[in-house]
Amino acid sequence: MSERLQKWLASLGFGSRRAIEKLITEGKIKVNGVPAELGLKVDGSEKIEIDGQLLKKRNFKIPDRTLIYNKPADEICSRSDEKGRRTVFQSLPKLIHGRWVSVGRLDYKTTGLLLMTTNGSFANLLMHPSSQLEREYVVRALGDLSKEQLTKLINGVRLEDGLGKFEKIELEQFKAANKSYRVTVREGRNRIVRRLFEAVGCRVNRLIRIRYGCITLPRKLKPGEYLELDKTQVEKLHRECLKNN
C-alpha cells in the first residue's frame, strides 16, 4: 500500500509533515535518485535519501515511541539555539534511527508536560485544531481577577491573532499578591495562556502545564526527567483525538 512521501516519512519519525514538505520543496529528498515532488507516493520499496543520507530498509519497521518530558524552565523547544541555551532534546533518550518530534511547544520560562514522539503523523494529529485536545495549566499570577475579567476569559478575549478563551478557570489558592489558577484551553497558539491573562491586565509569574488530553504529568516525575508511555496510554490518546474529529 502506497501513501504520500511526507506522511510516510513522518510516520517513521523523520519530522512533522510540514517539516518534511519543506525538505521536499528544497530538493533535499530524493527517491530512486530523483528529487522528490510534493504528492509523490511511496510504498517503502524505493531508494530514499534525505539530505544525502540513504535510508536503510531495516529502519522502516521500528516501533513508534511516545513519552512525557517534564520541561524545566530555561530550556527551549527548538533543536538548536544560536544563543547556546539548552534544548529539551538534549535530555531525551538517544535514537539510533528517526528522531523525536515535539508535540507543540512550551515557551522558555514555561515548565511541565511536553509530549514527545517518534511518529510525526501522530504528533500532527495531537496538535491539529480538529482534535480539540484540552491543555491544562496551573498559573501563578500577580493581581486579582474580578468577576468581569473571569467572564471575559471564558467568553473570549480579542487578541492580535483572533479570539482566545479558556474552557475553564478556577482559583486554587493565593498568597499575598500572587494568586494560583487552574485553567484549560483547547488550542496551542503561541503563548496563549500568558497572552489571555495579559489581555485582562494580569501578569503571569509562573506557568506549568499539567495535562495534555488524557495524559497527566506524574507527580513523581522531576523537571528534566522523562517517562515513556505504554501502548495502552498511546492508544487511549489516539482514540481521544479521533473522537473529536
Side-chain angles (χ1 to χ4, degrees):
M1 182 178 176
S2 62
E3 59 184 348
R4 291 181 186 274
L5 177 62
Q6 58 266 39
K7 182 179 179 181
W8 188 76
L9 287 174
S11 70
L12 296 172
F14 288 96
S16 66
R17 286 193 209 178
R18 185 174 295 180
I20 293 168
E21 287 171 357
K22 187 172 184 291
L23 291 175
I24 292 172
T25 57
E26 291 174 349
K28 294 182 178 179
I29 299 182
K30 291 184 178 181
V31 177
N32 295 329
V34 179
E37 295 182 357
L38 291 174
L40 177 68
K41 291 190 174 183
V42 297
D43 59 17
S45 63
E46 299 82 1
K47 175 184 172 184
I48 299 176
E49 298 171 69
I50 300 180
D51 228 359
Q53 248 186 340
L54 180 65
L55 273 63
K56 296 181 180 179
K57 292 183 180 178
R58 61 184 173 84
N59 296 345
F60 295 166
K61 294 184 180 180
I62 297 170
D64 297 327
R65 297 172 64 185
T66 301
L67 55 81
I68 297 170
Y69 177 61
N70 188 352
K71 177 191 173 297
D74 304 334
E75 284 189 356
I76 63 168
C77 291
S78 300
R79 294 190 182 275
S80 60
D81 181 53
E82 59 184 17
K83 297 180 181 178
R85 294 173 294 185
R86 185 174 179 82
T87 80
V88 294
F89 295 97
Q90 291 175 258
S91 299
L92 302 182
K94 303 300 180 185
L95 297 172
I96 298 175
H97 305 293
R99 64 176 185 170
W100 292 111
V101 179
S102 173
V103 179
R105 297 186 173 199
L106 295 177
D107 64 46
Y108 188 54
K109 291 295 183 182
T110 300
T111 65
L113 190 156
L114 187 63
L115 289 175
M116 294 284 186
T117 180
T118 57
N119 187 325
S121 293
F122 187 39
N124 276 341
L125 179 63
L126 293 170
M127 291 184 284
H128 200 276
S130 64
S131 294
Q132 287 285 293
L133 291 183
E134 289 187 343
R135 288 86 155 160
E136 188 173 356
Y137 297 80
V138 172
V139 185
R140 189 177 70 187
L142 181 64
D144 291 313
L145 287 178
S146 65
K147 287 185 179 180
E148 182 184 0
Q149 289 170 312
L150 291 170
T151 300
K152 282 184 179 179
L153 290 171
I154 291 294
N155 291 341
V157 178
R158 183 64 59 184
L159 304 174
E160 64 269 21
D161 53 355
L163 199 68
K165 67 174 186 174
F166 291 129
E167 298 297 318
K168 298 176 185 176
I169 179 167
E170 298 174 352
L171 178 64
E172 280 212 313
Q173 59 183 4
F174 61 91
K175 294 181 180 179
N178 290 314
K179 305 292 185 294
S180 182
Y181 297 90
R182 187 178 289 246
V183 304
T184 303
V185 293
R186 287 188 182 271
E187 60 175 310
R189 264 190 287 172
N190 184 40
R191 300 183 70 253
I192 184 68
V193 175
R194 293 183 188 275
R195 289 193 292 140
L196 281 171
F197 270 85
E198 289 166 1
V200 295
C202 192
R203 191 181 73 199
V204 172
N205 290 334
R206 189 181 182 194
L207 184 59
I208 309 168
R209 183 155 71 192
I210 59 172
R211 182 169 62 86
Y212 198 109
C214 60
I215 303 300
T216 301
L217 183 68
R219 289 183 178 275
K220 293 183 179 180
L221 193 67
K222 298 177 182 178
E225 294 183 343
Y226 59 84
L227 176 68
E228 194 143 353
L229 299 182
D230 60 31
K231 185 179 179 181
T232 301
Q233 290 172 303
V234 172
E235 288 176 348
K236 185 177 179 182
L237 189 56
H238 192 267
R239 286 196 303 271
E240 188 177 10
C241 289
L242 297 181
K243 178 183 69 178
N244 296 320
N245 273 281

